[in-house]
Amino acid sequence: MISRTVWSCGVLAELTLLPIVAAFKRVDVVHSMGTTAPLIGVRRGVVTIHDLIFHHFPATFPGPAQRALDILVPAAARRSTRVIAISEATK
C-alpha cells in the first residue's frame, strides 16, 4: 500500500510541476496514467482512469484523499483531450 505522504506528493507534483516541465520541454501531449491530471498549463492531455473505487467505496480511502479524488478525477476528465477508461465500471 502506498503511504498517504507518497501519494499526496505524487499528485501534488503532477498538478504543479508537470505542467511547468511540459511547457519548458515543449511537450505536445501529456498522458497521465494515474487517474488524475494537471488542471492547468497542458495544451493537450490524455488521462487514464483505471477505476472509480474511491467513489463507489469511499470508506476504503482516507477522508482527505477520497474528497480530493472526488474533485480531481472529474476535473481531469473534463480538461483532458482524451480519456481512457480501463474498467467497464468506469465507462
Side-chain angles (χ1 to χ4, degrees):
M1 183 170 154
I2 298 174
S3 75
R4 268 188 261 172
T5 304
V6 171
W7 181 84
S8 298
C9 288
V11 171
L12 184 61
E14 183 176 43
L15 295 175
T16 58
L17 299 176
L18 182 57
I20 294 167
V21 172
F24 180 75
K25 296 284 189 175
R26 298 179 187 213
V27 173
D28 291 325
V29 177
V30 172
H31 184 182
S32 299
M33 300 190 313
T35 305
T36 60
L39 301 178
I40 59 169
V42 174
R43 291 181 296 136
R44 290 186 295 183
V46 176
V47 63
T48 298
I49 300 175
H50 297 275
D51 59 46
L52 298 174
I53 196 165
F54 67 90
H55 181 72
H56 295 291
F57 302 99
T60 61
F61 283 77
Q66 193 273 328
R67 286 188 294 280
L69 288 169
D70 266 342
I71 294 167
L72 295 174
V73 174
R78 282 191 302 273
R79 172 106 168 103
S80 295
T81 307
R82 296 283 187 264
V83 176
I84 299 171
I86 300 298
S87 166
E88 286 298 320
T90 304
K91 297 176 183 179

